[in-house]
Amino acid sequence: MPSEPIATLSGVVKSYQMDAVTVPVLQGIDLLIRPGHFTVLLGPSGSGKTTLLNLVGCIDRADQGEVTVAGNAVNRMSDDELSDFRAANIGFIFQNFNLIPVLTAFENIEYPLVLAGMAPERRQRRVTRLLDAVGLADRAHNLPGQLSGGQRQRVAIARALARKPKLVVADEPTANLDSRTGEAILRLMRHMQEQYKISFLFSSHDRSLMKAADDLIMLRDGVIQSIKRKATPEVGAEGAAATTEEAAEDHD
């Protein structure tokens, strides 16, 4: 597993303009996101979770501060460079699935590979493996409208992993699912993260997800309130104690 952070934010400030009013959203964010971990942003609506995801996911830019993703200072990239970097390195899972309704499950997963210019034979093999991994091999030719909410989110997870990204960003991926289906999707994301050694960063306001996180980041009013990090398997008792101390010291 790589040792360098998958993302860092230093002194990040973000606000939005609404007519003549400037609305602050993130206020001086300092954050390190560990590679190969399951990181959860937890906070109420309006806390800045989605904005923070958009900055790390290279969808938006910070007003102030530095954002680094996979070792690249993304704020210094042109729009075209940022778009290419995002497509090659980041996968997305959306609350509303965002599947293309006229494409089958197979074709939705395949679409980013078509855009990347991958050969048809390789696309066929990769999509088939992904469909099998998310338990939808028998639904490959179904349109999104013929799938349940949980099945559509499984397709979205497979699509996010199609290009083998370094980071997967998910904005409240279980919010539109019933609790049982949401738990199943969470287990699947955790399994895929562990299997593919990919960093996962996702937001939620559901406190029941706290136990699932390797790293839990609590946000409120655009400010990080606390960071709790679980010790990695290689860390012994002393390292675990150090990890606990880090959680307390991150925002003294």
Side-chain angles (χ1 to χ4, degrees):
M1 187 180 296
S3 58
E4 292 298 316
I6 188 61
T8 59
L9 296 88
S10 302
V12 167
V13 174
K14 181 66 181 178
S15 61
Y16 293 105
Q17 197 72 26
M18 298 183 66
D19 296 326
V21 179
T22 299
V23 180
V25 181
L26 297 176
Q27 306 179 55
I29 297 292
D30 295 309
L31 178 62
L32 179 151
I33 299 173
R34 295 193 291 174
H37 286 72
F38 205 60
T39 301
V40 176
L41 299 176
L42 194 65
S45 297
S47 61
K49 301 188 304 294
T50 298
T51 299
L52 183 51
L53 284 182
N54 288 344
L55 295 180
V56 176
C58 303
I59 293 175
D60 205 349
R61 296 178 184 270
D63 297 334
Q64 299 176 34
E66 192 76 31
V67 179
T68 302
V69 181
N72 294 267
V74 296
N75 268 22
R76 303 176 190 177
M77 295 181 182
S78 68
D79 289 346
D80 287 344
E81 289 171 338
L82 195 64
S83 179
D84 291 343
F85 176 82
R86 182 174 60 240
N89 293 280
I90 303 173
F92 293 91
I93 302 170
F94 300 96
Q95 180 177 328
N96 295 317
F97 320 126
N98 282 18
L99 301 178
I100 300 173
V102 297
L103 299 183
T104 65
F106 186 102
E107 291 165 341
N108 266 283
I109 299 168
E110 181 186 36
Y111 189 60
L113 302 178
V114 173
L115 295 179
M118 181 179 287
E121 298 80 8
R122 287 187 65 202
R123 297 202 307 262
Q124 174 77 29
R125 291 194 299 270
R126 185 171 298 182
V127 175
T128 299
R129 283 199 302 268
L130 284 167
L131 278 166
D132 186 59
V134 299
L136 289 178
D138 61 338
R139 299 286 186 176
H141 302 297
N142 286 66
L143 296 170
Q146 299 169 320
L147 301 173
S148 68
Q151 289 170 334
R152 278 179 276 175
Q153 197 60 295
R154 287 172 181 267
V155 174
I157 291 169
R159 180 184 59 188
L161 296 171
R163 290 192 64 177
K164 298 183 178 179
K166 295 177 181 177
L167 172 67
V168 172
V169 172
D171 190 7
E172 304 210 24
T174 62
N176 287 343
L177 304 173
D178 62 78
S179 59
R180 184 175 179 181
T181 303
E183 289 171 4
I185 289 298
L186 182 63
R187 287 194 300 271
L188 174 62
M189 288 195 299
R190 183 61 163 172
H191 172 72
M192 300 298 275
Q193 179 266 321
E194 292 174 345
Q195 179 179 349
Y196 289 93
K197 306 301 182 188
I198 293 172
S199 305
F200 266 67
L201 174 65
F202 73 93
S203 67
S204 180
H205 59 265
D206 184 354
R207 298 185 68 87
S208 68
L209 298 179
M210 293 173 67
K211 292 182 180 179
D214 292 322
D215 292 351
L216 181 67
I217 301 162
M218 302 288 291
L219 270 173
R220 182 177 289 275
D221 298 328
V223 176
I224 294 178
Q225 299 291 312
S226 66
I227 300 176
K228 298 178 181 178
R229 302 190 191 275
K230 290 181 182 177
T232 56
E234 295 78 14
V235 177
E238 293 182 3
T243 300
T244 303
E245 290 173 8
E246 178 193 352
E249 293 171 359
D250 268 333
H251 289 278
D252 282 351

